[in-house]
Amino acid sequence: MEVEENNVLYNSVLDDNFKEVCPEKVIKFKPPLYKQRYQFVKDLVDRHEPKKVADMGCGDTKLLRLLKVYPCIQLLVGVDINEEKLQSNGHYLSPYLGEFVKPRDLDLTVTLYHGSVVERDSRLLGFDLITCIELIEHLDSDDLARFPEVVFGYLSPGMIVISTPNLEFNPLFPTMTLRDADHKFEWSRMEFQTVYTTTYPSLQQERVLKFVLVGELLVQVEHLRLRQQRMLREEEGARGPQPQAPPLLLGAVFTEAEQARIESSPKPFCEGDKFCIPLRRLLAYPKLHRLRLDEDRMRRLIADSVCLSRDGSAVVVDLHSSWDRWPEEN
Amino acid sequence: MSGRARVRARGITRSLGAVDVGRAPASPSATSVEPGDQEASSSSGLVEANIIPQWDKDSVCSGDSGQSHMERSMRMRRDLMDLEISTREKLAHVKDCKTGSSGIPVKLVTNLFNLDFPQDWQLYQYCVTFSPDLASRRLRTALLYNHSELSNRTKAFDGATLFLLQKLDKKVTELSSETQRGETVKITVTLIKELVSSSPVCIQFINIIFRKILKKLSMYQIGRNFYKPSEPVEIPQHKLSLWPGFAISVSPFESRLLFSADVSYKVLRNETVLEFMTDLCFKTGTSCFTQMCEKQLVGLVVLTRYNNRTYRIDDIDWTVKPTFSFQKRDGAEITYVDYYKQQYDITLSDLNQPMLVSLLKRKRNDNSEPQVVHLIPELCFLTGLSGQATSDFQLMKAVAEETRLSPLDRQQRLARLADDIQRNQVARFELENWGLHFGSQMSLTGRIVPPEKILMQDHVCQPASAADWAKDIRTCKVLSAQSLDKWLIFCANRAEYVIESFLSCLRRVGSSMGFNVGYPQIIKVQENPGAFIRAIQQQVNPEVQLVMCILPSNQKNYYDSIKKYLSSDCAVPSQCVLTRTLSKQGMMMSVATKIAMQMNCKLGGELWAVEIPLKSLMVVGIDISKDAFNKDMAVIGFVASVNPRITRWFSRCILQRTTTGIADCLKVFMTGALNKWQKTNHDLPARIVVYRDGVGDGQLRTVMEYEVPQLLSSVTKPSANTSSRLSVVVVRKKCMPRFFTEMSRTVQNPPLGTVVDSEATRPEWYDFYLVSQTASRGTVSPTYYNVIYDDNGLKPDHMQRLTYKLCHLYYNWQGLVSIPAPCLYAHKLTFLVSQSIHKEPSLELANNLFYL
């Protein structure tokens, strides 16, 4: 178990980072303290790639919002006693529009529970990382006593991050420790209640996979088709005197391994005015390669969306379409 | 060329051109497809660019602390702004009653829902000030809510404005609280207004409540509409994903507030800007790539994956690469590559891509420099349908199949939404809290106005269906036709084989309709636009009556260059046809009939008429659209009838530099039209009815204050002692209400000629709905007419019937059309000019319908 007390960590940061604004005696941190704490958690996630992460006392769900971008996380849970906050901030965790268009690789479910962190709830068992950022100072002494037992004894996650304002440092602040108006409210204990839950579209879902696959495939096919066309036109043009166009600057750059993979796959070919691109060729391109599909599965998924050659080994498109040449011919 | 082929040939449908220019250009909303409108004659009704300013992105309770609700109320919804202009009170003849009487009553179901209020329902708006001032909205809220005066009341507070359902005892309430730090804060709550349910602030407030409720029903808000990502319709072969959803609003109707809902679809595209750019690069070659790229991309709205924002592309910066660094808000320097890696765990694959530049809208009305953001093309998705997509027949068919709902499907979805709102506990609780009750779907009584007879040269025909009388008039002679003796056909070498059979067909149908078609001179040319234009330039002289071009493909530049030359440089009517259209043998007769009719109109002929009881009436249609190339240019089309029978037209078009979508040149138009009328009829028209299309939300006041006076000043000439009486009608094809008839437990589209002039109308306007189009599939949408100025004093019944009659007179379609013919002509004209010609057509053509 890895328990880090990050106050220590920040003490060292504070020494050279804080500025004192004399008249009000307010100390500002740069970057702000909360950002430093979040960054600490983010770095941890980056390093250890946990699958299941829970944030106790998630409040306005800010940390969860930062964590949901990590591809490794598949279950993200927030727990807070303030239901209203969860209610009003839950929708920030819903998938973005773009995440429907370019979905994650792995499933992700985000759930917010209304409940007390000192209750034992089996739904929080087996987590890889539990964070309690600025939480324990909100607990009264009874709860504080129960807290270690619940968190370390019962939940016992793979990792836990606990942070709390530094007491030695506190007297420098013009205000008392409890700066949040919420702190004085009392909450009755109860079982966890799901306030909000959402699942993200991911490539693990067949429907989503199909959508992405066909989309990427069509983009790649169009790209290859246009390249082929240009090559043919340049061959034609090469007979007459024509200035050589400078090489294109745009487009994905392949690594050597990717390049080798593409080179070793069957080449696209023309049959009359039809242009055929073998599925295996398409699968060699990085954006399709990363979907980790075999040829059969791919064929099954794309069959009703694109035109395949008779033996089903290649995608067939018209080499020329009426939209191709318009910009040049005016 | 059929209407659709023509649209495809031009490459771009009106989707963007039709955007109301008064609306904010950069809005966080993608194109949405409004389902279901099948229009008889214009093939462009499918796509609506849904650009609506987001005045209420946050609900009352989650706004910025600094920005009060008062400030935000200033940015009032534009359609509510229109409601403040009461035009009816000035029209004495409709002050008491604006309903017509003729026709058969019909029971109609609507997409409007009753909202029930207790009788004395009022909302109390308070201004809350804190002393000393507190920055944190949360703290303000916490302090205010802790007071016993407020704790048990239904309330909404955004940091500055407080709404209560019950009045506080005193007008000014002084409260005092203590913060955690021991500071004493004085809170002053002052009553500003008592709001009745029909006040604009109240309507906005109720709208916000409903937005909150729809969010609770796990819908996703985009712009002003709500979508269900859980039930997407995917069209992978076109990289599209459609989300079903609703456009909802609460607005005041004739007697009360109603909740209206309509089905809407959001289009998501799985294509990044980078992919678009690389493809474009292949297509254009590198020489003109940058210009082409800017032309194609600037103005588009893109969606970023990582933060869910939408941006309008204002420029492309080719000098900045992702490897360059920029200054973060805290002052640290970081490269774009590192930034996206750190912030969003995204690795960029192309380090050579340029940057898209977007100017952020300024939040408040300060004069600071607009903020500029750089966006990575690879991380931006295109939104909405591209011009290429909208002209892709297969794609649009696929989209239409999904989005075109039958009346029954639509009704079922509405019922489900209503059910969801009524059943959901949170939703019900929220409504009950505010004393609202979501009621039943509203039904009302409309009227079906009597059908019209079509008058041909020697025959009066009562069509079996007003939707299409092509069969009924097949053997009838048209009203008038010039014989066509000197005309030219230009065709590509390969297409020669179609000409013979087409010509014989054309001559046959021509003679049966009384249109004498002589033998043309046939000129064969090479298959490229340049060759066509050169041949036309050499061969066409002013004696030529008409030029026909048989085009090998629907590439836009063929059509554009030919039309441009023949409409402005050398004014000769022209007719373009696709080879493909003529090679379908089975269709030849109907194709030839359509072409013969169009040619006849282009030569100045008249096809049919309807009975117009008013003598000496001039009708005028005005439409505005934006130029496709130069978005600062507005194209204003003006079409006026020049004979009492309303069969001959005077058409003019002007390009005007404007950003507002308001016409400047109406006086010139109107004077020209009146001169023309006087020349042919030796008198001025006694009455003029102007139909104005293309008015956006929030523009009604400008039309009223700026355009109507222009028209008035030109019809009342101080020299002449007679003056024509003027009426101005604003025509809107997009309106919220939909109507269905209930028949044996299923719902259907209302019959043609259905008029609704009660309940779904607005009390402060003289307005009505008219259904003048059919939809074989999908749901018909009524056209909304708002009479904003009326000297003629026609009875509402006559106004409605006149409008209905005018919907019969569009010569490009043998049937009813969705808007009055002069409007559709004006639209057709502006479309041609804004998409193809880009300059004023020659005045010599003004007497012909050369743009059909």
Side-chain angles (χ1 to χ4, degrees):
Chain A
M1 188 187 292
E2 184 179 341
V3 181
E4 297 196 35
E5 172 54 84
N6 66 341
N7 281 324
V8 182
L9 187 106
Y10 283 114
N11 270 341
S12 62
V13 179
L14 292 176
D15 288 337
D16 33 77
N17 260 15
F18 74 81
K19 277 192 276 189
E20 208 166 340
V21 186
C22 285
E24 292 98 4
K25 282 217 165 177
V26 174
I27 290 159
K28 283 188 179 162
F29 299 96
K30 201 176 151 191
L33 262 190
Y34 74 95
K35 275 199 182 166
Q36 294 189 27
R37 291 189 197 104
Y38 291 158
Q39 191 57 49
F40 177 78
V41 176
K42 281 167 72 181
D43 291 344
L44 213 59
V45 170
D46 236 1
R47 239 187 353 260
H48 300 281
E49 306 204 336
K51 264 190 187 168
K52 295 165 86 178
V53 179
D55 185 23
M56 306 295 228
C58 61
D60 53 11
T61 68
K62 211 156 200 166
L63 181 59
L64 297 177
R65 272 180 256 167
L66 293 171
L67 291 181
K68 72 169 204 170
V69 303
Y70 286 91
C72 56
I73 298 177
Q74 295 191 56
L75 179 62
L76 197 54
V77 167
V79 181
D80 205 288
I81 197 106
N82 185 342
E83 192 186 358
E84 207 177 308
K85 263 190 180 175
L86 296 182
Q87 288 277 13
S88 56
N89 290 299
H91 68 270
Y92 287 120
L93 293 166
S94 61
Y96 291 159
L97 273 179
E99 279 165 315
F100 289 89
V101 185
K102 216 164 195 81
R104 305 163 47 89
D105 288 355
L106 300 173
D107 283 334
L108 168 66
T109 305
V110 180
T111 307
L112 296 181
Y113 292 119
H114 173 215
S116 162
V117 295
V118 293
E119 288 299 307
R120 292 159 182 253
D121 195 297
S122 58
R123 280 168 289 190
L124 284 187
L125 286 177
F127 272 65
D128 303 307
L129 170 66
I130 289 183
T131 57
C132 311
I133 307 295
E134 315 290 74
L135 168 79
I136 52 173
E137 76 275 12
H138 296 226
L139 304 177
D140 63 27
S141 48
D142 277 4
D143 284 344
L144 201 54
R146 285 161 54 101
F147 179 75
E149 175 213 337
V150 171
V151 174
F152 297 108
Y154 179 71
L155 300 177
S156 90
M159 267 184 290
I160 184 157
V161 178
I162 298 171
S163 88
T164 188
N166 191 329
L167 281 175
E168 290 140 48
F169 186 66
N170 250 338
L172 287 173
F173 284 102
T175 54
M176 299 293 288
T177 335
L178 308 180
R179 274 152 287 143
D180 194 337
D182 304 341
H183 291 214
K184 58 182 170 181
F185 298 132
E186 286 196 11
W187 309 99
S188 56
R189 287 191 195 143
M190 51 183 314
E191 264 195 12
F192 280 19
Q193 306 232 309
T194 309
V195 175
Y196 177 85
T197 184
T198 182
T199 49
Y200 278 60
S202 87
L203 295 178
Q204 288 181 301
Q205 297 148 18
E206 178 103 348
R207 189 175 51 82
V208 178
L209 178 65
K210 179 178 170 176
F211 180 68
V212 172
L213 170 67
V214 175
E216 297 287 10
L217 181 124
L218 287 175
V219 168
Q220 196 60 56
V221 165
E222 178 71 0
H223 188 75
L224 292 171
R225 184 182 75 84
L226 289 168
R227 204 175 66 180
Q228 178 77 15
Q229 233 183 53
R230 177 137 291 256
M231 266 161 52
L232 290 176
R233 227 177 307 161
E234 267 159 21
E235 263 170 41
E236 255 173 54
R239 281 176 228 141
Q242 209 188 36
Q244 196 64 42
L248 294 176
L249 288 172
L250 284 173
V253 183
F254 301 129
T255 63
E256 265 171 47
E258 284 165 352
Q259 196 63 44
R261 192 172 62 224
I262 295 166
E263 293 297 326
S264 66
S265 62
K267 284 190 167 38
F269 54 93
C270 285
E271 263 178 7
D273 55 357
K274 297 284 180 194
F275 183 52
C276 308
I277 308 144
L279 296 188
R280 277 163 59 204
R281 176 73 167 204
L282 288 165
L283 276 172
Y285 286 97
K287 280 189 174 167
L288 289 156
H289 186 76
R290 65 174 272 278
L291 300 176
R292 302 191 196 294
L293 292 163
D294 58 40
E295 201 185 332
D296 279 336
R297 178 129 189 253
M298 170 160 166
R299 190 176 301 127
R300 251 197 341 271
L301 285 168
I302 62 173
D304 53 356
S305 308
V306 298
C307 181
L308 290 175
S309 64
R310 202 166 298 157
D311 62 352
S313 67
V315 176
V316 182
V317 288
D318 288 332
L319 184 55
H320 298 283
S321 90
S322 61
W323 276 91
D324 287 343
R325 276 169 302 164
W326 44 268
E328 271 179 324
E329 288 198 352
N330 276 320
Chain B
M1 208 184 260
S2 73
R4 186 178 286 121
R6 187 186 311 235
V7 167
R8 253 180 296 150
R10 286 170 191 156
I12 305 159
T13 68
R14 68 186 283 218
S15 60
L16 288 168
V19 174
D20 295 319
V21 279
R23 290 170 171 180
S27 87
S29 116
T31 305
S32 83
V33 173
E34 299 292 333
D37 313 312
Q38 217 202 6
E39 285 166 75
S41 49
S42 77
S43 47
S44 55
L46 193 62
V47 181
E48 183 214 24
N50 184 3
I51 294 183
I52 294 164
Q54 258 191 330
W55 65 277
D56 54 356
K57 200 161 116 200
D58 307 299
S59 65
V60 167
C61 302
S62 61
D64 298 328
S65 59
Q67 195 182 17
S68 75
H69 191 270
M70 284 300 280
E71 273 172 73
R72 266 181 283 152
S73 326
M74 301 304 238
R75 289 180 282 145
M76 199 189 296
R77 232 172 68 191
R78 288 165 194 259
D79 54 330
L80 290 180
M81 251 153 63
D82 284 342
L83 282 178
E84 294 186 333
I85 302 148
S86 178
T87 46
R88 188 178 165 189
E89 59 189 20
K90 290 180 202 132
L91 309 174
H93 62 296
V94 288
K95 216 164 188 178
D96 301 322
C97 173
K98 61 171 178 184
T99 52
S101 52
S102 61
I104 312 154
V106 58
K107 191 108 180 123
L108 298 168
V109 185
T110 65
N111 62 341
L112 307 171
F113 294 81
N114 291 310
L115 272 185
D116 300 327
F117 295 87
Q119 274 224 307
D120 51 349
W121 194 91
Q122 271 198 327
L123 200 62
Y124 299 92
Q125 185 182 359
Y126 289 89
C127 171
V128 186
T129 52
F130 294 83
S131 165
D133 201 18
L134 300 169
S136 152
R137 187 173 55 83
R138 187 168 295 153
L139 189 54
R140 286 169 173 233
T141 313
L143 290 179
L144 185 71
Y145 279 21
N146 269 341
H147 282 283
S148 55
E149 284 91 334
L150 290 168
S151 53
N152 293 324
R153 292 173 193 258
T154 307
K155 56 196 172 283
F157 180 59
D158 72 345
T161 310
L162 173 74
F163 288 99
L164 293 177
L165 200 54
Q166 275 108 33
K167 205 173 176 177
L168 294 174
D169 296 333
K170 285 181 281 185
K171 191 162 183 289
V172 180
T173 313
E174 300 270 357
L175 303 168
S176 156
S177 305
E178 196 164 306
T179 63
Q180 296 289 319
R181 310 176 195 179
E183 260 182 305
T184 310
V185 176
K186 231 174 72 187
I187 308 173
T188 318
V189 182
T190 321
L191 180 68
I192 306 177
K193 256 186 197 159
E194 301 184 9
L195 303 163
V196 289
S197 63
S198 59
S199 74
V201 176
C202 217
I203 293 162
Q204 284 186 303
F205 185 78
I206 296 168
N207 269 295
I208 290 168
I209 294 177
F210 270 99
R211 266 158 229 291
K212 250 170 126 178
I213 287 170
L214 263 75
K215 269 189 196 153
K216 292 278 194 284
L217 300 176
S218 60
M219 296 223 223
Y220 204 101
Q221 183 173 5
I222 304 170
R224 250 163 45 178
N225 299 353
F226 288 84
Y227 299 93
K228 281 188 180 164
S230 52
E231 300 163 20
V233 178
E234 263 140 26
I235 311 177
Q237 63 269 37
H238 296 296
K239 298 176 259 177
L240 290 180
S241 174
L242 304 174
W243 290 5
F246 296 95
I248 61 139
S249 82
V250 175
S251 29
F253 285 90
E254 197 67 42
S255 54
R256 57 188 151 162
L257 283 186
L258 295 172
F259 173 87
S260 52
D262 199 4
V263 180
S264 158
Y265 282 87
K266 175 61 63 196
V267 179
L268 291 186
R269 257 164 92 184
N270 184 10
E271 188 176 15
T272 65
V273 175
L274 182 64
E275 283 159 359
F276 181 87
M277 286 166 102
T278 38
D279 284 358
L280 191 72
C281 190
F282 277 121
K283 282 184 197 172
T284 60
T286 34
S287 51
C288 56
F289 169 63
T290 49
Q291 296 152 10
M292 215 42 217
C293 206
E294 277 163 22
K295 201 162 153 189
Q296 296 280 316
L297 286 173
V298 169
L300 292 187
V301 174
V302 295
L303 168 78
T304 49
R305 183 195 171 219
Y306 46 87
N307 65 356
N308 210 29
R309 297 249 173 85
T310 42
Y311 301 91
R312 181 181 185 273
I313 304 178
D314 292 303
D315 197 4
I316 301 172
D317 193 337
W318 301 91
T319 57
V320 181
K321 304 269 178 252
T323 44
F324 288 30
S325 37
F326 67 103
Q327 205 169 38
K328 284 205 292 188
R329 211 174 296 163
D330 61 10
E333 291 259 329
I334 188 167
T335 66
Y336 292 98
V337 181
D338 291 344
Y339 177 77
Y340 285 103
K341 181 72 201 158
Q342 263 180 31
Q343 205 71 21
Y344 303 108
D345 205 34
I346 294 172
T347 314
L348 298 180
S349 73
D350 181 352
L351 302 181
N352 272 323
Q353 53 192 319
M355 292 282 166
L356 307 178
V357 180
S358 178
L359 299 176
L360 294 185
K361 263 194 297 184
R362 270 168 293 177
K363 272 208 179 120
R364 298 188 189 100
N365 295 331
D366 54 8
N367 291 324
S368 59
E369 287 269 298
Q371 239 187 318
V372 174
V373 283
H374 278 143
L375 305 165
I376 312 269
E378 194 179 342
L379 305 179
C380 295
F381 290 99
L382 293 163
T383 59
L385 295 170
S386 64
Q388 180 172 355
T390 45
S391 56
D392 181 335
F393 180 65
Q394 289 302 326
L395 188 157
M396 291 316 277
K397 204 173 131 196
V399 172
E401 259 164 28
E402 299 297 346
T403 59
R404 194 170 279 161
L405 296 176
S406 74
L408 185 62
D409 290 336
R410 192 176 288 265
Q411 167 63 15
Q412 279 166 351
R413 294 210 187 181
L414 290 177
R416 219 176 93 194
L417 175 71
D419 205 49
D420 284 347
I421 294 177
Q422 279 160 341
R423 276 167 191 241
N424 186 294
Q425 257 193 345
V426 188
R428 230 182 31 220
F429 182 68
E430 183 80 34
L431 283 174
E432 273 167 18
N433 250 342
W434 289 102
L436 302 171
H437 181 257
F438 190 81
S440 55
Q441 202 166 352
M442 196 179 78
S443 39
L444 49 80
T445 311
R447 286 171 297 112
I448 308 167
V449 297
E452 295 294 328
K453 294 190 192 75
I454 303 300
L455 314 178
M456 303 297 288
Q457 197 184 72
D458 43 15
H459 188 81
V460 175
C461 128
Q462 180 76 62
S465 157
D468 187 352
W469 57 73
K471 284 204 184 97
D472 305 85
I473 63 163
R474 196 155 45 191
T475 53
C476 305
K477 286 207 166 20
V478 298
L479 285 182
S480 78
Q482 269 185 354
S483 73
L484 177 59
D485 303 316
K486 186 162 172 50
W487 63 301
L488 311 175
I489 291 185
F490 291 85
C491 81
N493 290 321
R494 284 198 307 181
E496 207 186 337
Y497 70 100
V498 297
I499 291 185
E500 212 42 55
S501 63
F502 168 64
L503 267 181
S504 75
C505 250
L506 189 69
R507 286 164 56 81
R508 206 160 66 226
V509 297
S511 72
S512 76
M513 67 173 71
F515 174 40
N516 200 357
V517 181
Y519 269 109
Q521 187 188 344
I522 298 167
I523 297 139
K524 280 172 271 181
V525 288
Q526 293 233 309
E527 206 169 295
N528 67 62
F532 265 87
I533 270 298
R534 271 192 301 281
I536 289 170
Q537 281 168 345
Q538 282 160 13
Q539 304 285 339
V540 177
N541 57 55
E543 277 151 47
V544 174
Q545 286 174 285
L546 186 126
V547 173
M548 176 179 277
C549 298
I550 299 176
L551 303 179
S553 85
N554 58 14
Q555 275 179 46
K556 194 169 149 51
N557 45 4
Y558 274 110
Y559 188 85
D560 287 1
S561 51
I562 291 170
K563 285 289 175 189
K564 194 169 188 171
Y565 180 72
L566 289 178
S567 303
S568 58
D569 300 331
C570 173
V572 174
S574 56
Q575 176 78 41
C576 292
V577 197
L578 279 182
T579 316
R580 203 173 52 207
T581 318
L582 297 185
S583 44
K584 291 173 192 151
Q585 282 302 323
M587 304 281 286
M588 193 56 103
M589 278 309 271
S590 69
V591 167
T593 311
K594 286 229 157 89
I595 291 175
M597 288 193 163
Q598 276 193 15
M599 283 164 57
N600 186 20
C601 293
K602 286 177 181 180
L603 292 169
E606 302 145 282
L607 299 185
W608 60 79
V610 291
E611 210 173 301
I612 303 287
L614 297 168
K615 299 301 159 215
S616 188
L617 165 76
M618 175 195 257
V619 293
V620 175
I622 301 172
D623 197 5
I624 294 193
S625 66
K626 271 193 199 173
D627 190 271
F629 288 166
N630 186 353
K631 302 284 182 209
D632 297 336
M633 288 301 245
V635 180
I636 299 149
F638 177 97
V639 176
S641 65
V642 291
N643 62 347
R645 234 185 158 181
I646 314 191
T647 52
R648 309 182 68 92
W649 303 91
F650 170 80
S651 320
R652 283 204 61 187
C653 189
I654 281 185
L655 278 85
Q656 172 195 313
R657 186 168 292 279
T658 175
T659 48
T660 54
I662 290 296
D664 270 339
C665 45
L666 297 182
K667 198 164 177 177
V668 180
F669 284 154
M670 200 70 213
T671 314
L674 288 172
N675 286 343
K676 176 78 192 160
W677 178 284
Q678 196 156 25
K679 237 177 249 168
T680 40
N681 305 297
H682 314 293
D683 195 6
L684 282 174
R687 298 166 186 276
I688 301 173
V689 179
V690 177
Y691 289 90
R692 166 72 156 92
D693 200 355
V695 180
D697 276 336
Q699 290 187 316
L700 198 63
R701 183 183 293 276
T702 348
V703 171
M704 197 59 210
E705 290 173 356
Y706 195 56
E707 288 191 1
V708 173
Q710 287 181 55
L711 292 167
L712 265 179
S713 72
S714 42
V715 299
T716 48
K717 284 224 181 83
S719 56
N721 40 15
T722 56
S723 90
S724 315
R725 279 176 287 174
L726 178 77
S727 301
V728 180
V729 187
V730 171
V731 181
R732 299 201 65 168
K733 273 166 70 174
K734 292 208 179 66
C735 54
M736 205 57 176
R738 301 258 185 173
F739 305 112
F740 316 108
T741 49
E742 235 171 335
M743 290 255 217
S744 56
R745 270 193 245 136
T746 175
V747 289
Q748 290 179 345
N749 279 321
L752 280 170
T754 301
V755 168
V756 174
D757 52 13
S758 62
E759 291 186 78
T761 50
R762 315 277 188 176
E764 50 283 90
W765 293 340
Y766 169 21
D767 54 350
F768 59 92
Y769 299 88
L770 171 64
V771 176
S772 59
Q773 58 175 337
T774 45
S776 52
R777 286 170 300 156
T779 319
V780 75
S781 65
T783 310
Y784 182 59
Y785 297 91
N786 184 4
V787 186
I788 56 168
Y789 186 85
D790 191 5
D791 272 345
N792 280 306
L794 291 180
K795 279 190 207 158
D797 202 50
H798 293 164
M799 189 50 119
Q800 291 164 5
R801 291 194 60 187
L802 172 67
T803 308
Y804 187 55
K805 280 171 192 286
L806 292 176
C807 293
H808 289 76
L809 291 177
Y810 185 61
Y811 287 160
N812 224 1
W813 176 254
Q814 293 139 290
L816 265 174
V817 289
S818 60
I819 53 174
C823 268
L824 201 46
Y825 286 133
H827 172 68
K828 205 77 183 160
L829 176 59
T830 55
F831 188 81
L832 177 73
V833 173
S834 64
Q835 297 294 332
S836 303
I837 304 182
H838 309 292
K839 55 180 170 180
E840 279 163 38
S842 165
L843 267 178
E844 288 166 53
L845 291 169
N847 298 326
N848 302 345
L849 296 171
F850 65 96
Y851 42 84
L852 276 190

